[in-house]
Amino acid sequence: AGLAAHNQGKFWQMHDALFAMKPITMPSILAAATEIGLEMDAFNSDMNSQATKQRLGKDVADARGSDVSGTPTLFVNGRRVNDRSPQALQKLIDEELAKAKK
């Protein structure tokens, strides 16, 4: 649904609608698409297109390849952040900056 909405320039509106849904159902997705003003024939076509399925599959494969199992997942210069405390983030950033200066 997000990718199909993106094709009409409304990814973030659909993103917000999806995260507000409990539970996420096809009728609620279609209602949200209508509410945010998507052109429904194009939305339905894009939701079911092979191109959308391939893009989603690539995104899932890329996430798995990067050991991403959920959002948000944070990386600093390609290093996965496990400790998100301000001190740990600052230390990681400082280490990466020091490497860059060498």
Side-chain angles (χ1 to χ4, degrees):
L3 293 174
H6 171 72
N7 291 343
Q8 295 184 45
K10 296 195 175 186
F11 170 81
W12 288 109
Q13 292 93 325
M14 180 58 76
H15 167 278
D16 294 347
L18 290 169
F19 274 90
M21 289 178 198
K22 291 183 180 56
I24 296 175
T25 64
M26 188 52 70
S28 62
I29 291 170
L30 296 174
T34 300
E35 186 174 314
I36 64 176
L38 294 177
E39 198 289 304
M40 292 306 293
D41 287 338
F43 177 76
N44 286 316
S45 177
D46 288 342
M47 280 264 297
N48 297 302
S49 77
Q50 192 61 33
T52 298
K53 291 174 185 175
Q54 287 174 345
R55 182 169 175 194
L56 182 58
K58 182 182 180 323
D59 287 350
V60 169
D62 289 347
R64 286 185 181 141
S66 298
D67 196 28
V68 172
S69 60
T71 60
T73 300
L74 181 63
F75 291 86
V76 173
N77 202 25
R79 292 174 60 186
R80 185 180 175 137
V81 175
N82 294 314
D83 182 351
R84 295 184 188 186
S85 69
Q87 298 82 7
L89 278 171
Q90 188 62 60
K91 181 178 184 243
L92 185 58
I93 291 167
D94 291 343
E95 288 171 2
E96 291 303 312
L97 287 172
K99 286 181 192 175
K101 292 179 181 177
K102 290 182 180 181

